[in-house]
Amino acid sequence: MLEYKESPLKSKTEAYADRITLLYDYLITNKHEHVMATQIYRSGTSIGANVMESRFAQSGADFINKLNIALKEAGETEYWLGRLYKSGKIDKRGYESMKSDNTEIVKMLVASIKTMKKKLGK
């Protein structure tokens, strides 16, 4: 079996997926919100799934592609967080905390993409 060094990006996106899952459960149970709950669950957990897929990329370009998909999903997640906050489904503290984590993940993704592009000479 290959030895795999735990990356900060993988750890952060897994923890974020756990938070998204708790948010989903809260929205379904307490706010009876199903549409936006499902949307944010799908996009928020997809970030980490794509980071995990990048681990098995077939090339540097494939690696970049997987991280770009994760970046797009993070953008969609930010959109749904804003809609949930504006509609009163989550409070300001929860919104700001989730958005802060999302922003940190976006920065990590952008840095990883830039690093790989530099390695590939792009």
Side-chain angles (χ1 to χ4, degrees), residues 75-91:
E76 182 178 341
T77 301
E78 185 175 331
Y79 172 81
W80 290 117
L81 283 171
R83 301 298 51 80
L84 287 165
Y85 174 61
K86 293 283 185 178
S87 67
K89 302 293 182 186
I90 58 174
D91 63 18

Side-chain angles (χ1 to χ4, degrees), residues 8-40:
L9 180 58
K10 179 181 174 287
S11 299
K12 186 71 173 175
T13 57
E14 285 177 345
Y16 195 64
D18 294 343
R19 289 191 73 195
I20 290 288
T21 300
L22 292 173
L23 175 59
Y24 172 82
D25 291 342
Y26 167 79
L27 291 169
I28 296 291
T29 304
N30 298 330
K31 297 295 183 172
H32 308 290
E33 172 56 56
H34 295 273
V35 175
M36 287 190 285
T38 301
Q39 292 286 9
I40 198 164

Side-chain angles (χ1 to χ4, degrees), residues 37-75:
T38 301
Q39 292 286 9
I40 198 164
Y41 179 76
R42 188 197 54 74
S43 65
T45 57
S46 180
I47 301 165
N50 280 288
V51 167
M52 191 61 168
E53 281 186 47
S54 74
R55 177 178 165 199
F56 301 103
Q58 296 175 347
S59 65
D62 188 34
F63 178 83
I64 291 168
N65 184 52
K66 299 293 186 211
L67 293 189
N68 273 320
I69 293 168
L71 190 57
K72 289 176 183 181
E73 295 294 342

